[in-house]
Coordinates of all heavy atoms in Angstrom, one line a residue:
M1 N 10.4 -28.6 6.4 CA 10.6 -30.0 6.6 C 9.9 -30.8 5.6 O 8.7 -30.5 5.3 CB 10.2 -30.3 8.1 CG 10.6 -31.7 8.5 SD 10.8 -32.1 10.2 CE 9.6 -31.3 11.1
M2 N 10.5 -31.8 5.1 CA 9.8 -32.6 4.1 C 8.9 -33.6 4.7 O 9.0 -34.0 5.8 CB 10.9 -33.4 3.2 CG 12.0 -32.4 2.7 SD 11.4 -31.5 1.3 CE 11.7 -32.7 0.0
D3 N 7.9 -34.1 3.9 CA 7.0 -35.2 4.4 C 7.8 -36.5 4.6 O 8.6 -36.9 3.8 CB 5.9 -35.4 3.4 CG 4.9 -34.2 3.3 OD1 4.9 -33.5 4.4 OD2 4.3 -34.0 2.3
G4 N 7.5 -37.1 5.7 CA 8.1 -38.4 6.0 C 9.5 -38.2 6.6 O 10.1 -39.2 7.0
E5 N 10.0 -37.0 6.8 CA 11.3 -36.8 7.4 C 11.1 -36.6 8.9 O 10.3 -35.9 9.4 CB 11.9 -35.5 6.8 CG 13.4 -35.4 7.0 CD 14.0 -34.2 6.3 OE1 13.6 -34.0 5.1 OE2 14.7 -33.5 6.9
I6 N 11.9 -37.3 9.7 CA 11.8 -37.2 11.1 C 12.9 -36.2 11.6 O 14.1 -36.3 11.3 CB 12.0 -38.6 11.8 CG1 10.9 -39.5 11.3 CG2 12.0 -38.5 13.3 CD1 11.1 -41.0 11.8
F7 N 12.5 -35.3 12.4 CA 13.4 -34.3 12.9 C 13.8 -34.7 14.4 O 13.0 -34.8 15.2 CB 12.7 -32.9 12.9 CG 13.6 -31.8 13.5 CD1 14.7 -31.3 12.8 CD2 13.3 -31.2 14.7 CE1 15.5 -30.3 13.3 CE2 14.1 -30.2 15.3 CZ 15.2 -29.8 14.5
T8 N 15.1 -34.9 14.6 CA 15.6 -35.2 15.9 C 16.7 -34.2 16.2 O 17.6 -33.9 15.4 CB 16.1 -36.6 15.9 OG1 17.2 -36.8 15.0 CG2 15.1 -37.7 15.7
A9 N 16.6 -33.7 17.4 CA 17.6 -32.8 17.9 C 18.3 -33.4 19.1 O 17.7 -33.7 20.1 CB 17.0 -31.5 18.3
T10 N 19.6 -33.7 18.9 CA 20.3 -34.3 20.0 C 21.6 -33.5 20.3 O 22.1 -32.9 19.4 CB 20.7 -35.8 19.7 OG1 21.5 -35.8 18.6 CG2 19.5 -36.7 19.5
L11 N 22.1 -33.6 21.5 CA 23.3 -32.9 21.9 C 24.5 -33.8 21.7 O 25.6 -33.4 21.8 CB 23.2 -32.4 23.3 CG 22.1 -31.4 23.5 CD1 22.1 -31.0 25.0 CD2 22.4 -30.1 22.7
V12 N 24.2 -35.1 21.5 CA 25.3 -36.1 21.3 C 25.7 -36.1 19.8 O 24.9 -36.2 19.0 CB 24.8 -37.5 21.8 CG1 25.9 -38.5 21.6 CG2 24.3 -37.4 23.2
P13 N 27.0 -36.0 19.6 CA 27.4 -36.1 18.2 C 27.2 -37.4 17.6 O 27.1 -38.4 18.3 CB 28.9 -35.8 18.2 CG 29.3 -36.1 19.6 CD 28.1 -35.9 20.5
P14 N 26.9 -37.5 16.3 CA 26.6 -38.8 15.6 C 27.8 -39.7 15.7 O 29.0 -39.3 15.7 CB 26.2 -38.4 14.2 CG 26.8 -37.1 14.0 CD 26.9 -36.4 15.3
G15 N 27.5 -41.0 15.7 CA 28.6 -42.0 15.7 C 28.9 -42.5 17.1 O 28.2 -42.1 18.1
N16 N 29.8 -43.3 17.3 CA 30.2 -43.9 18.6 C 31.3 -43.1 19.3 O 31.8 -43.6 20.3 CB 30.6 -45.4 18.4 CG 29.4 -46.2 18.0 OD1 28.3 -45.9 18.2 ND2 29.7 -47.3 17.3
T17 N 31.7 -42.0 18.8 CA 32.7 -41.2 19.5 C 32.2 -40.5 20.7 O 31.1 -39.9 20.6 CB 33.4 -40.2 18.5 OG1 32.4 -39.3 18.1 CG2 34.0 -40.9 17.3
T18 N 32.9 -40.5 21.8 CA 32.4 -39.7 23.0 C 33.3 -38.4 23.0 O 34.4 -38.4 22.7 CB 32.7 -40.5 24.2 OG1 34.1 -40.9 24.3 CG2 31.9 -41.8 24.2
P19 N 32.6 -37.3 23.4 CA 33.4 -36.1 23.4 C 34.3 -36.1 24.6 O 34.1 -36.7 25.6 CB 32.3 -35.0 23.6 CG 31.1 -35.8 24.2 CD 31.2 -37.2 23.7
N20 N 35.4 -35.4 24.4 CA 36.5 -35.3 25.4 C 35.9 -34.4 26.6 O 35.8 -33.2 26.4 CB 37.8 -34.7 24.8 CG 38.9 -34.8 25.8 OD1 38.8 -35.4 26.9 ND2 40.1 -34.3 25.4
S21 N 35.7 -34.9 27.7 CA 35.1 -34.2 28.8 C 36.1 -33.5 29.7 O 35.7 -32.7 30.6 CB 34.2 -35.1 29.7 OG 35.1 -36.1 30.3
S22 N 37.4 -33.7 29.5 CA 38.4 -33.0 30.3 C 38.6 -31.6 29.8 O 38.6 -31.4 28.6 CB 39.7 -33.8 30.3 OG 40.2 -33.9 29.0
M23 N 38.9 -30.7 30.7 CA 39.2 -29.3 30.3 C 40.7 -29.2 30.0 O 41.5 -29.8 30.6 CB 38.7 -28.4 31.4 CG 37.3 -28.4 31.7 SD 36.6 -27.1 32.7 CE 37.8 -26.9 34.0
T24 N 41.0 -28.2 29.1 CA 42.4 -27.9 28.9 C 42.9 -27.0 30.0 O 42.2 -26.6 30.8 CB 42.5 -27.2 27.5 OG1 41.8 -25.9 27.6 CG2 41.9 -28.0 26.4
L25 N 44.2 -26.8 30.0 CA 44.9 -26.0 31.0 C 44.4 -24.6 30.9 O 44.2 -23.9 32.0 CB 46.4 -26.1 30.8 CG 47.2 -25.3 31.8 CD1 46.9 -25.8 33.2 CD2 48.7 -25.3 31.5
E26 N 44.1 -24.0 29.7 CA 43.6 -22.7 29.6 C 42.2 -22.6 30.2 O 41.9 -21.6 30.8 CB 43.6 -22.3 28.1 CG 45.0 -22.1 27.5 CD 45.0 -21.9 26.0 OE1 43.9 -22.1 25.4 OE2 46.1 -21.7 25.5
Q27 N 41.4 -23.6 29.9 CA 40.0 -23.5 30.5 C 40.0 -23.6 32.0 O 39.3 -23.0 32.7 CB 39.2 -24.7 29.9 CG 38.9 -24.5 28.4 CD 38.2 -25.7 27.8 OE1 38.4 -26.8 28.3 NE2 37.5 -25.5 26.7
K28 N 40.9 -24.4 32.5 CA 41.0 -24.6 34.0 C 41.5 -23.3 34.6 O 41.0 -22.8 35.7 CB 42.0 -25.7 34.4 CG 41.4 -27.1 34.1 CD 42.5 -28.1 34.4 CE 42.0 -29.5 34.1 NZ 43.0 -30.5 34.4
T29 N 42.5 -22.6 34.0 CA 43.0 -21.3 34.5 C 41.9 -20.3 34.4 O 41.7 -19.5 35.4 CB 44.2 -20.9 33.7 OG1 45.2 -22.0 33.7 CG2 44.8 -19.7 34.2
T30 N 41.2 -20.2 33.3 CA 40.1 -19.2 33.2 C 39.0 -19.5 34.2 O 38.5 -18.6 34.9 CB 39.5 -19.3 31.8 OG1 40.6 -19.1 30.8 CG2 38.5 -18.3 31.6
F31 N 38.7 -20.7 34.4 CA 37.6 -21.1 35.4 C 38.0 -20.7 36.8 O 37.2 -20.1 37.6 CB 37.3 -22.6 35.3 CG 36.2 -23.1 36.1 CD1 34.9 -22.8 35.7 CD2 36.4 -23.8 37.3 CE1 33.8 -23.2 36.5 CE2 35.3 -24.2 38.0 CZ 34.0 -23.9 37.7
A32 N 39.3 -21.0 37.1 CA 39.8 -20.6 38.5 C 39.8 -19.1 38.7 O 39.5 -18.6 39.7 CB 41.2 -21.2 38.7
S33 N 40.2 -18.4 37.6 CA 40.3 -16.9 37.8 C 38.9 -16.3 37.9 O 38.7 -15.3 38.6 CB 41.1 -16.2 36.7 OG 41.2 -16.9 35.6
V34 N 37.9 -16.9 37.2 CA 36.5 -16.4 37.3 C 36.0 -16.7 38.7 O 35.3 -15.8 39.3 CB 35.7 -17.0 36.2 CG1 34.2 -16.8 36.4 CG2 36.0 -16.5 34.8
I35 N 36.3 -17.8 39.2 CA 35.8 -18.2 40.6 C 36.5 -17.2 41.6 O 35.8 -16.7 42.5 CB 36.2 -19.6 40.9 CG1 35.4 -20.6 40.1 CG2 36.0 -19.9 42.4 CD1 33.9 -20.5 40.3
L36 N 37.8 -16.9 41.4 CA 38.4 -16.0 42.3 C 37.8 -14.6 42.2 O 37.7 -13.8 43.2 CB 39.9 -15.9 42.1 CG 40.7 -17.1 42.5 CD1 42.2 -17.1 42.1 CD2 40.6 -17.3 44.0
L37 N 37.5 -14.1 41.0 CA 36.9 -12.8 40.8 C 35.5 -12.8 41.5 O 35.1 -11.8 42.1 CB 36.7 -12.5 39.3 CG 38.0 -12.1 38.7 CD1 37.8 -11.9 37.2 CD2 38.5 -10.8 39.3
F38 N 34.7 -13.9 41.4 CA 33.4 -13.9 42.1 C 33.6 -13.9 43.6 O 32.8 -13.2 44.3 CB 32.6 -15.2 41.7 CG 31.8 -15.0 40.4 CD1 32.1 -15.8 39.3 CD2 30.9 -14.0 40.3 CE1 31.3 -15.6 38.1 CE2 30.2 -13.8 39.1 CZ 30.4 -14.6 38.1
I39 N 34.6 -14.5 44.1 CA 34.8 -14.5 45.6 C 35.2 -13.0 46.0 O 34.7 -12.5 47.0 CB 35.9 -15.5 46.0 CG1 35.4 -16.9 45.8 CG2 36.4 -15.2 47.4 CD1 36.5 -18.0 46.0
F40 N 36.1 -12.4 45.2 CA 36.5 -11.0 45.5 C 35.3 -10.1 45.4 O 35.1 -9.2 46.2 CB 37.5 -10.6 44.5 CG 38.1 -9.2 44.7 CD1 38.8 -8.9 45.8 CD2 37.8 -8.2 43.8 CE1 39.3 -7.6 46.0 CE2 38.3 -7.0 44.0 CZ 39.1 -6.7 45.1
L41 N 34.4 -10.3 44.4 CA 33.2 -9.5 44.3 C 32.3 -9.7 45.5 O 31.7 -8.7 46.0 CB 32.5 -9.8 43.0 CG 31.2 -9.1 42.7 CD1 31.5 -7.6 42.4 CD2 30.5 -9.7 41.5
G42 N 32.1 -10.9 45.9 CA 31.3 -11.2 47.1 C 31.8 -10.5 48.3 O 31.0 -9.9 49.1
I43 N 33.1 -10.5 48.5 CA 33.7 -9.8 49.7 C 33.5 -8.3 49.6 O 33.1 -7.7 50.6 CB 35.2 -10.1 49.8 CG1 35.4 -11.6 50.1 CG2 35.9 -9.2 50.8 CD1 36.9 -12.1 50.0
L44 N 33.6 -7.7 48.4 CA 33.4 -6.3 48.3 C 31.9 -5.9 48.5 O 31.6 -4.9 49.1 CB 33.8 -5.8 46.9 CG 35.3 -5.7 46.6 CD1 35.6 -5.3 45.2 CD2 35.9 -4.8 47.6
I45 N 31.0 -6.8 48.1 CA 29.6 -6.5 48.3 C 29.3 -6.6 49.7 O 28.5 -5.7 50.3 CB 28.7 -7.5 47.5 CG1 28.8 -7.2 46.0 CG2 27.3 -7.5 47.9 CD1 28.1 -8.2 45.1
V46 N 29.8 -7.5 50.5 CA 29.5 -7.6 51.9 C 30.1 -6.4 52.6 O 29.5 -5.8 53.5 CB 30.1 -8.9 52.5 CG1 30.2 -8.9 54.0 CG2 29.4 -10.1 52.0
R47 N 31.3 -6.0 52.2 CA 32.0 -4.8 52.9 C 31.2 -3.5 52.6 O 31.0 -2.7 53.5 CB 33.4 -4.7 52.3 CG 34.1 -3.6 53.0 CD 35.6 -3.7 52.7 NE 36.4 -2.7 53.4 CZ 36.7 -1.5 53.0 NH1 36.3 -1.1 51.8 NH2 37.4 -0.7 53.8
C48 N 30.7 -3.4 51.4 CA 29.9 -2.2 51.1 C 28.6 -2.2 51.8 O 28.1 -1.1 52.3 CB 29.6 -2.1 49.6 SG 31.0 -1.7 48.6
F49 N 27.9 -3.3 52.0 CA 26.7 -3.3 52.8 C 26.9 -3.1 54.2 O 26.1 -2.4 54.9 CB 26.0 -4.7 52.6 CG 25.1 -4.7 51.4 CD1 25.3 -5.5 50.3 CD2 23.9 -4.0 51.4 CE1 24.5 -5.6 49.2 CE2 23.1 -4.0 50.3 CZ 23.4 -4.8 49.2
R50 N 28.1 -3.5 54.8 CA 28.4 -3.2 56.2 C 28.6 -1.7 56.3 O 28.2 -1.1 57.3 CB 29.6 -4.0 56.6 CG 29.3 -5.5 56.8 CD 30.5 -6.2 57.3 NE 30.9 -5.8 58.6 CZ 32.1 -6.0 59.1 NH1 33.0 -6.7 58.5 NH2 32.4 -5.6 60.3
I51 N 29.3 -1.1 55.4 CA 29.5 0.4 55.4 C 28.2 1.1 55.3 O 28.0 2.1 56.0 CB 30.5 0.8 54.4 CG1 31.9 0.3 54.7 CG2 30.5 2.3 54.2 CD1 32.9 0.5 53.6
L52 N 27.3 0.6 54.5 CA 26.0 1.3 54.3 C 25.1 1.2 55.6 O 24.4 2.1 56.0 CB 25.2 0.7 53.1 CG 25.7 1.2 51.8 CD1 25.0 0.4 50.7 CD2 25.6 2.7 51.6
L53 N 25.2 0.0 56.3 CA 24.4 -0.2 57.4 C 24.9 0.6 58.7 O 24.2 1.1 59.5 CB 24.3 -1.7 57.8 CG 23.5 -2.5 56.8 CD1 23.6 -4.0 57.1 CD2 22.1 -2.0 56.7
D54 N 26.3 0.7 58.8 CA 26.9 1.4 59.9 C 28.0 2.3 59.4 O 29.2 1.9 59.5 CB 27.4 0.4 61.0 CG 27.7 1.1 62.3 OD1 27.4 2.3 62.4 OD2 28.3 0.5 63.1
P55 N 27.8 3.4 58.8 CA 28.8 4.2 58.2 C 29.9 4.8 59.1 O 31.0 5.1 58.7 CB 28.1 5.3 57.4 CG 26.8 5.4 58.1 CD 26.5 4.1 58.7
Y56 N 29.5 5.0 60.4 CA 30.4 5.6 61.3 C 31.3 4.6 62.1 O 32.1 5.0 62.9 CB 29.6 6.5 62.3 CG 28.8 7.6 61.6 CD1 27.5 7.5 61.5 CD2 29.5 8.6 61.0 CE1 26.7 8.5 60.9 CE2 28.8 9.6 60.4 CZ 27.4 9.5 60.3 OH 26.7 10.5 59.7
Q57 N 31.2 3.4 61.8 CA 32.0 2.4 62.5 C 33.4 2.5 62.0 O 34.3 2.3 62.9 CB 31.4 1.0 62.1 CG 32.3 -0.1 62.7 CD 31.8 -1.5 62.2 OE1 31.0 -1.6 61.3 NE2 32.3 -2.5 62.8
S58 N 33.7 2.7 60.8 CA 35.1 2.7 60.3 C 35.8 4.1 60.5 O 37.0 4.2 60.2 CB 35.1 2.4 58.8 OG 34.3 3.3 58.1
M59 N 35.1 5.1 60.9 CA 35.7 6.4 61.1 C 36.4 6.4 62.5 O 36.0 5.8 63.5 CB 34.6 7.5 61.1 CG 34.0 7.7 59.8 SD 32.7 9.0 59.8 CE 33.7 10.4 60.1
P60 N 37.6 7.0 62.5 CA 38.3 7.1 63.8 C 37.6 8.1 64.8 O 36.9 9.0 64.4 CB 39.7 7.7 63.4 CG 39.4 8.4 62.1 CD 38.3 7.7 61.4
T61 N 37.8 7.8 66.1 CA 37.1 8.6 67.1 C 37.9 9.9 67.4 O 37.3 10.8 67.9 CB 36.9 7.8 68.3 OG1 38.2 7.4 68.8 CG2 36.0 6.6 68.1
S62 N 39.1 10.0 67.0 CA 39.9 11.2 67.3 C 39.7 12.2 66.2 O 39.3 11.9 65.1 CB 41.4 10.8 67.4 OG 41.8 10.3 66.1
T63 N 40.0 13.5 66.6 CA 39.8 14.5 65.6 C 41.2 15.0 65.2 O 42.2 14.5 65.7 CB 39.1 15.7 66.3 OG1 39.8 16.2 67.4 CG2 37.7 15.3 66.7
W64 N 41.3 15.9 64.2 CA 42.6 16.3 63.7 C 43.4 17.2 64.7 O 44.6 17.3 64.6 CB 42.4 17.1 62.4 CG 41.6 18.4 62.6 CD1 40.3 18.5 62.5 CD2 42.1 19.7 62.8 NE1 39.9 19.8 62.7 CE2 41.0 20.5 62.9 CE3 43.4 20.2 63.0 CZ2 41.1 21.9 63.2 CZ3 43.5 21.5 63.3 CH2 42.4 22.4 63.4
S65 N 42.7 17.7 65.7 CA 43.4 18.6 66.7 C 43.9 17.8 67.9 O 44.5 18.4 68.8 CB 42.5 19.7 67.1 OG 41.4 19.2 67.9
D66 N 43.7 16.5 68.0 CA 44.1 15.7 69.1 C 45.7 15.6 69.2 O 46.2 15.6 70.3 CB 43.6 14.3 69.1 CG 42.1 14.3 69.5 OD1 41.6 15.3 70.0 OD2 41.5 13.2 69.2
G67 N 46.4 15.7 68.1 CA 47.8 15.5 68.1 C 48.5 16.8 68.4 O 49.7 16.8 68.7
L68 N 47.9 18.0 68.5 CA 48.5 19.2 68.7 C 48.7 19.4 70.2 O 47.8 19.1 71.0 CB 47.6 20.4 68.1 CG 47.4 20.3 66.6 CD1 46.5 21.4 66.2 CD2 48.7 20.4 65.9
D69 N 49.8 20.0 70.6 CA 50.1 20.2 72.0 C 49.5 21.5 72.5 O 50.1 22.5 72.4 CB 51.6 20.2 72.2 CG 52.2 18.9 71.9 OD1 51.5 17.8 72.0 OD2 53.4 18.8 71.4
G70 N 48.3 21.4 73.1 CA 47.7 22.5 73.8 C 47.3 23.7 72.8 O 47.0 24.8 73.3
L71 N 47.2 23.5 71.6 CA 46.8 24.5 70.6 C 45.3 24.4 70.4 O 44.7 23.4 70.4 CB 47.5 24.4 69.3 CG 49.1 24.6 69.4 CD1 49.6 24.3 68.0 CD2 49.4 26.0 69.9
E72 N 44.7 25.5 70.1 CA 43.3 25.6 69.7 C 43.2 25.2 68.2 O 44.2 25.3 67.5 CB 42.7 27.0 70.0 CG 42.7 27.4 71.5 CD 41.9 26.5 72.3 OE1 40.8 26.1 71.8 OE2 42.2 26.2 73.4
K73 N 42.0 25.0 67.8 CA 41.8 24.6 66.4 C 42.2 25.8 65.4 O 42.7 25.5 64.3 CB 40.4 24.2 66.1 CG 40.0 22.8 66.7 CD 38.6 22.4 66.4 CE 38.3 21.0 66.9 NZ 37.0 20.6 66.6
G74 N 41.9 27.0 65.8 CA 42.2 28.1 64.9 C 43.7 28.5 64.9 O 44.1 29.2 64.0
Q75 N 44.5 27.9 65.8 CA 45.9 28.3 65.8 C 46.8 27.3 65.0 O 48.0 27.5 65.0 CB 46.4 28.3 67.3 CG 45.8 29.3 68.1 CD 46.2 29.2 69.6 OE1 46.9 28.2 70.0 NE2 45.9 30.2 70.4
F76 N 46.2 26.4 64.3 CA 47.0 25.4 63.5 C 47.7 26.1 62.4 O 48.9 25.7 62.1 CB 46.0 24.3 63.0 CG 46.8 23.3 62.2 CD1 47.6 22.4 62.9 CD2 46.6 23.1 60.9 CE1 48.2 21.4 62.2 CE2 47.3 22.2 60.2 CZ 48.1 21.3 60.9
D77 N 47.1 27.1 61.7 CA 47.8 27.7 60.6 C 49.1 28.5 61.1 O 50.0 28.5 60.3 CB 46.8 28.7 59.9 CG 45.7 28.0 59.3 OD1 45.8 26.8 59.0 OD2 44.6 28.6 59.1
Y78 N 49.1 29.0 62.2 CA 50.2 29.8 62.7 C 51.4 28.9 63.1 O 52.5 29.3 63.1 CB 49.9 30.6 63.9 CG 48.8 31.6 63.6 CD1 47.5 31.5 64.2 CD2 49.0 32.6 62.7 CE1 46.5 32.4 63.8 CE2 48.0 33.5 62.4 CZ 46.8 33.4 62.9 OH 45.8 34.3 62.6
T79 N 51.2 27.6 63.4 CA 52.3 26.7 63.7 C 53.1 26.3 62.5 O 54.2 25.8 62.6 CB 51.7 25.4 64.4 OG1 50.8 24.8 63.6 CG2 51.0 25.8 65.7
L80 N 52.5 26.4 61.3 CA 53.2 26.0 60.1 C 54.3 27.0 59.7 O 55.2 26.7 59.1 CB 52.2 25.8 58.9 CG 51.2 24.6 59.1 CD1 50.3 24.6 57.9 CD2 52.0 23.3 59.2
A81 N 54.1 28.3 60.1 CA 55.0 29.3 59.7 C 56.3 29.3 60.5 O 56.5 28.8 61.5 CB 54.3 30.7 59.8

């Protein structure tokens, strides 16, 4: 920096022109999709924490042999033949 020179840093462009504050259609679409992705991510995070806190809640209470008519668990292979 030279002697006698004043350093000013401003975010406003020089002159009397005001920047266009409206967003374009592409920017609006991108902004909306990013917001939707964050909502989706939040839902997934909540669901994962619920599964971690109670992992057996989402499991069915029936076993694989409930649908068999009077067969034992070891006899399932013979019913396929």
Side-chain angles (χ1 to χ4, degrees):
M1 192 159 32
M2 306 286 275
D3 290 335
E5 198 176 314
I6 299 174
F7 178 71
T8 58
T10 60
L11 298 175
V12 179
N16 291 335
T17 60
T18 57
N20 190 4
S21 62
S22 64
M23 296 191 319
T24 64
L25 181 62
E26 293 172 351
Q27 290 173 334
K28 289 178 184 178
T29 306
T30 305
F31 186 73
S33 21
V34 166
I35 294 297
L36 287 175
L37 284 175
F38 274 122
I39 291 171
F40 182 67
L41 180 66
I43 291 170
L44 286 179
I45 288 174
V46 168
R47 186 170 186 264
C48 287
F49 273 111
R50 287 182 65 196
I51 290 173
L52 285 175
L53 292 176
D54 191 10
Y56 298 110
Q57 176 187 10
S58 60
M59 293 179 67
T61 56
S62 63
T63 60
W64 62 272
S65 65
D66 284 348
L68 300 176
D69 297 327
L71 296 176
E72 297 295 324
K73 288 185 179 179
Q75 296 176 350
F76 182 71
D77 293 337
Y78 300 113
T79 60
L80 294 177

